Amino acid sequence: MTDHDDVRDLLAAWAFGALEPAQERLVPPHLAECEACAAEAERLRATVRLLDGPPLDEPPSALDTLLAGALRARPAAPRVARHAAPYAAAVAGLRALLPEMAGRWSTPVVHDWDVHATVAHLLAADEHLALRLGIDARVPGARIDEDADWTDAWERRTAEVIAHEHGRTPGETVADWSAQAAALLAGPHAQDPELAAGTTLLMGLRLPVTDHFLARAFEAWIHTDDIGRALGLAVPPPPEEHLGQLVRLAVRVLGTVLGAEAPPVLFALRGGEESVLGSRSEPVAAELTLDAVDFCLLVGGRYAPDTVPRETTGDAAAVRNVLERAASLSWL
């Protein structure tokens, strides 16, 4: 019998049609035997159907209409490997908001950016990975030098791209962002997990390309949520499997940043996984529990360490260290 955990990890990609043929053959027989996975698969398929538009026999809600209108005009989502599926879904989510931006491009969003600048920022953010994967830049100007202070170089490039795009129409900015995202998803690194297992240095982090695709998904979702909040529209979190992939990446990076000398904290997600962050040679000094979405918003800079909802026991200083380091990861 197919291993339950293996199939469960494939469900989100299956719902988006992003599995390899050999993987696709594993899922249906397991769903016929496992009620829990069948229910989760139906929930994920319902999410995908929402992105594709409401059923004809149901009156559409405002969000249904918004999503359907945007997605009717776009080409079918490319088939991608599991590591790129969260990015494909996040790109689809932002495209679904595009009709609501008409006449509202100057609405303040985050930092000192309006809607137009936020999309321009995503164009700049995706550019760095695109260049590493051999995709031509769509905006002229300087490139980020990883040998220098990448944070300064990143801020300069972001400002440069935003200034450039403010001299163009929002439609032109969206077209370039969308084309660059499509090129990333159509490229071999989005299709081939073995090819994407190779590492590259981006944003000061040497990670497999698979993880950099997850970082792009993370940022696209966070800024789509920013835009949704600015426009008064609720943006749903990523599907559960995609959210799990983003969380696991963030936990790995956080563990690296904390290092092996930090006071050990048992970190848990509500209803999810647990891990020890910090030293493995000492008794656990504290316990910290967060909601998965709240943890992502903390890592994304949308919560301050002292305001994120949490449950804690033990050494308050050790907990504060974890929360502050998590918040410091954000370049969003």
Side-chain angles (χ1 to χ4, degrees):
M1 181 180 292
T2 305
D3 183 79
H4 174 83
D5 290 336
D6 289 343
V7 172
R8 185 179 59 186
D9 288 343
L10 296 174
L11 290 181
W14 175 77
F16 277 90
L19 291 180
E20 298 297 324
Q23 293 174 319
E24 287 180 340
R25 290 192 290 272
L26 298 177
V27 176
H30 182 74
L31 296 185
E33 299 176 352
C34 178
E35 183 177 345
C37 283
E40 176 66 5
E42 178 55 32
R43 188 189 70 78
L44 292 169
R45 275 291 171 103
T47 300
V48 174
R49 287 195 296 270
L50 176 62
L51 289 172
D52 287 332
L56 294 177
D57 59 350
E58 293 183 9
S61 68
L63 181 57
D64 289 337
T65 302
L66 164 65
L67 293 170
L71 295 177
R72 273 197 299 270
R74 71 176 175 87
R79 295 177 64 85
V80 295
R82 178 175 175 269
H83 67 270
Y87 178 62
V91 167
L94 180 52
R95 284 174 175 159
L97 282 181
L98 293 177
E100 285 296 299
M101 298 181 194
R104 305 172 71 181
W105 289 97
S106 61
T107 302
V109 176
V110 67
H111 309 314
D112 59 349
W113 303 337
D114 58 13
V115 176
H116 189 178
T118 304
V119 178
H121 165 73
L122 285 173
L123 175 62
D126 286 348
E127 175 190 72
H128 202 22
L129 178 59
L131 290 172
R132 281 286 195 270
L133 302 186
I135 298 169
D136 291 338
R138 310 192 74 85
V139 180
R143 299 295 174 257
I144 297 175
D145 181 2
E146 289 287 355
D147 294 327
D149 183 337
W150 76 265
T151 54
D152 289 343
W154 169 238
E155 290 175 1
R156 287 195 301 271
R157 181 56 179 162
T158 297
E160 182 179 44
V161 172
I162 288 174
H164 179 270
E165 296 305 309
H166 268 154
R168 307 170 75 214
T169 68
E172 290 171 324
T173 301
V174 167
D176 272 349
W177 164 77
S178 183
Q180 183 173 254
L184 280 166
L185 291 167
H189 288 83
Q191 316 290 324
D192 185 348
E194 292 187 10
L195 180 63
T199 63
T200 191
L201 183 64
L202 293 174
M203 306 301 184
L205 296 172
R206 179 166 292 281
L207 295 170
V209 171
T210 52
D211 285 346
H212 286 300
F213 266 101
L214 292 177
R216 305 298 351 112
F218 195 109
E219 185 157 13
W221 161 52
I222 289 288
H223 286 306
T224 299
D225 186 69
D226 289 336
I227 292 171
R229 291 175 187 272
L231 300 181
L233 294 169
V235 172
E240 185 174 344
E241 173 56 24
H242 294 179
L243 184 61
Q245 290 174 262
L246 302 185
V247 165
R248 286 188 286 273
L249 171 63
V251 170
R252 289 200 305 273
V253 173
L254 177 57
T256 300
V257 170
L258 282 167
E261 303 302 319
V265 173
L266 179 64
F267 176 74
L269 298 170
R270 291 192 185 95
E273 301 172 4
E274 295 182 350
S275 58
V276 174
L277 298 173
S279 172
R280 298 299 180 94
S281 61
E282 305 172 45
V284 168
E287 297 183 11
L288 169 64
T289 302
L290 295 173
D291 175 80
V293 172
D294 288 339
F295 173 61
C296 287
L297 292 175
L298 172 68
V299 171
R302 299 311 184 261
Y303 270 122
D306 58 346
T307 63
V308 64
R310 60 196 181 275
E311 298 167 11
T312 67
T313 61
D315 187 340
V319 169
R320 185 169 60 254
N321 183 47
V322 171
L323 294 173
E324 290 177 349
R325 291 297 184 93
S328 74
L329 296 179
S330 174
W331 62 80
L332 309 182

